[in-house]
Amino acid sequence: MKIAIMGLGTIGGGVEILLRGRPDISVKRIFTRHIPAEYAALDSSLETILQDPEIDTVVETLGGVEPVHTWLCEAIRAGKNVVTANKAVVAAHYRELAELAAEHGAAFRFSAAVGGGIPWLTGLEQIKRADKIDALGGIMNATCNLILSRMIRNGRTLAEALAEAQAEGYAERDPSADIDGLDARRKLLISANTAFDCVLPEESVPAFGIRHLQPEDLEAAAVWHCTVRLSNRAFREEDGRIRILTAPVFVPLDDPEATVWDCGNRLWCQAARGGLYSFGGIGAGRFSTAQSVVQDLLDIKEKTPERPVFYQKGFAPAVPDNRGWMTRWYVRGAAGSCITEWRDTAEFVQEIQARPAAGEPVFTALIVCPSALPGGSRTSGTAAPAAPAAAPPRA
Ligand code: HSE
């Protein structure tokens, strides 16, 4: 198998290193902005790559939506398999890219887009072959977990912890996608689409981040024997509705999510018959993520000539519907902090999303163990029946 790599940054460079000396997969061409001298002989334009009949598969690690989306479409039309680590383009264009790949007999894989080196999307793909996935979620953003770890364990402010994460190469110079929850939302969306065989529009999934988190919020969580993590939740209800959101959560200290530190991720899914499955490991970083890219290449190579290798069988359009999902929240705004009564999640999200627009920075966190709070038993709502004892809390 001869491949081309588009983008020789942290991940693309890691893929090249992992493939060195392998007899089964070789890097024939590289398309990147600044080619290091040692790779000058492989330096190629996109056109050269697409016209080279020996190139079987294109690995894309450039990131961003455009022009990458256009380039991936061109690669697929040229009959190339595509492997990408780029969650932004997958979250925005998965259906189009997968259908185009099917039309052209090409494979399309993106294991590295969620969970770094953890075999999460392939895990979902396997589980749903034999069972039905009803829920999934967990910690999917390594940068926020690192920032929270430094604040909790080392007493850093958010600004200090973010500066450290940037200096260590985890957070971008513009950290908005991580700290506003958008990266976690993309990963949640890709995971839910994969597990539920649907297509959710990205902007329709509510996302709260940690941008406005203050040390006092961590202290408030500690009062309830909780800590704070940025986490995801998606539930497919029996009537087919999808409840979904990305938000900081107050996690009880004995919850597995509370034991995930630094760049760790913890992802779980709940299957109708098999119950709870959980996955953990390093969620970001050069070789963990590059390893997932190499796994995709091996899957494609081993499954050729059947080729089309997707994660989804269907693309049913879906719209999140959080109405009737009763949750409780910690909220801190200009007037101080409070813990809400049980709220309809859709109404609560709408209310909170309007407040920054009115100039008020708000930090809010979902409380995943509300029964521990005063007035904690559920008083209303139509959330699905409680999951088995081993499952994550249903909030
Ligand atoms: N910014 C991402 C994170 C990189 O911190 O999780 C890995 O997808």
Side-chain angles (χ1 to χ4, degrees):
M1 179 184 218
K2 288 192 169 46
I3 70 159
I5 299 178
M6 293 166 64
L8 202 67
T10 306
I11 311 304
V15 172
E16 193 280 324
I17 292 169
L18 288 182
L19 292 177
R20 273 182 207 168
R22 283 190 75 110
D24 51 349
I25 306 174
S26 63
V27 180
K28 185 178 177 196
R29 296 186 181 278
I30 293 172
F31 168 65
T32 195
R33 208 167 300 151
H34 304 292
I35 191 97
E38 61 179 306
Y39 299 116
L42 306 186
D43 191 15
S44 305
S45 67
L46 187 64
E47 291 68 37
T48 313
I49 290 170
L50 300 189
Q51 286 163 14
D52 184 341
E54 275 193 357
I55 299 284
D56 184 73
T57 303
V58 171
V59 168
E60 183 271 314
T61 59
L62 292 160
V65 177
E66 287 297 351
V68 167
H69 158 247
T70 306
W71 292 343
L72 295 187
C73 290
E74 286 173 18
I76 292 169
R77 285 198 191 95
K80 312 297 182 198
N81 304 309
V82 167
V83 173
T84 178
N86 178 346
K87 55 235 149 169
V89 79
V90 176
H93 294 293
Y94 179 46
R95 181 179 186 165
E96 180 194 354
L97 290 165
E99 289 183 341
L100 196 61
E103 194 184 315
H104 290 270
F108 181 49
R109 298 290 275 182
F110 44 88
S111 294
V114 188
I118 303 163
W120 164 245
L121 293 177
T122 47
L124 292 179
E125 186 182 41
Q126 283 210 345
I127 292 163
K128 75 175 187 178
R129 281 200 304 209
D131 203 341
K132 177 172 167 279
I133 298 173
D134 292 329
L136 60 87
I139 297 170
M140 303 188 191
N141 183 269
T143 302
C144 285
N145 214 64
L146 181 64
I147 291 171
L148 290 166
S149 299
R150 297 281 164 85
M151 292 179 74
I152 295 162
R153 285 179 149 174
N154 306 105
R156 305 280 192 266
T157 63
L158 190 135
E160 289 165 349
L162 172 59
E164 288 178 4
Q166 286 169 321
E168 290 164 34
Y170 291 107
E172 305 282 333
R173 198 172 309 156
D174 175 0
S176 307
D178 288 321
I179 65 173
D180 290 332
L182 307 181
D183 176 85
R185 174 170 77 176
R186 286 183 190 127
K187 292 166 174 168
L188 174 62
L189 183 100
I190 293 168
S191 305
N193 285 349
T194 300
F196 306 150
D197 287 321
C198 68
V199 187
L200 290 156
E202 194 175 338
E203 280 73 31
S204 66
V205 176
F208 298 120
I210 63 165
R211 181 183 287 272
H212 300 300
L213 175 79
Q214 299 281 347
E216 68 187 271
D217 305 318
L218 298 172
E219 287 160 22
V223 169
W224 300 105
H225 305 286
C226 288
T227 188
V228 179
R229 292 290 184 273
L230 182 69
S231 192
N232 284 328
R233 298 279 182 282
F235 303 102
R236 175 166 52 182
E237 303 296 347
E238 278 175 17
D239 60 7
R241 282 188 301 164
I242 293 175
R243 291 179 164 153
I244 186 165
L245 61 78
T246 295
V249 291
F250 275 17
V251 192
L253 291 175
D254 59 358
D255 185 289
E257 287 190 14
T259 65
V260 178
W261 295 103
D262 301 327
C263 287
N265 277 188
R266 181 175 184 276
L267 312 100
W268 55 265
C269 72
Q270 177 83 24
R273 304 218 174 226
L276 177 68
Y277 296 81
S278 63
F279 299 71
I282 308 293
R286 168 169 260 195
F287 290 113
S288 51
T289 311
Q291 180 268 142
S292 284
V293 171
V294 174
Q295 296 292 352
D296 282 347
L297 291 171
L298 290 167
D299 277 347
I300 292 172
K301 186 172 171 354
E302 283 161 15
K303 289 187 184 162
T304 300
E306 309 142 47
R307 284 227 293 199
V309 185
F310 303 119
Y311 301 94
Q312 271 180 252
K313 295 278 177 260
F315 299 97
V319 179
D321 184 357
N322 288 338
R323 288 172 302 173
W325 175 16
M326 304 304 287
T327 46
R328 292 188 76 183
W329 297 80
Y330 168 83
V331 183
R332 183 185 45 73
S337 65
C338 70
I339 292 195
T340 69
E341 293 303 317
W342 290 100
R343 296 292 313 272
D344 176 287
T345 303
E347 285 173 14
F348 176 80
V349 164
Q350 204 174 21
E351 195 180 296
I352 294 294
Q353 282 176 337
R355 283 166 67 170
E360 183 190 7
V362 177
F363 174 76
T364 191
L366 175 68
I367 297 174
V368 297
C369 194
S371 57
L373 305 184
S377 57
R378 191 183 298 281
T379 53
S380 60
T382 58
R394 290 283 304 177

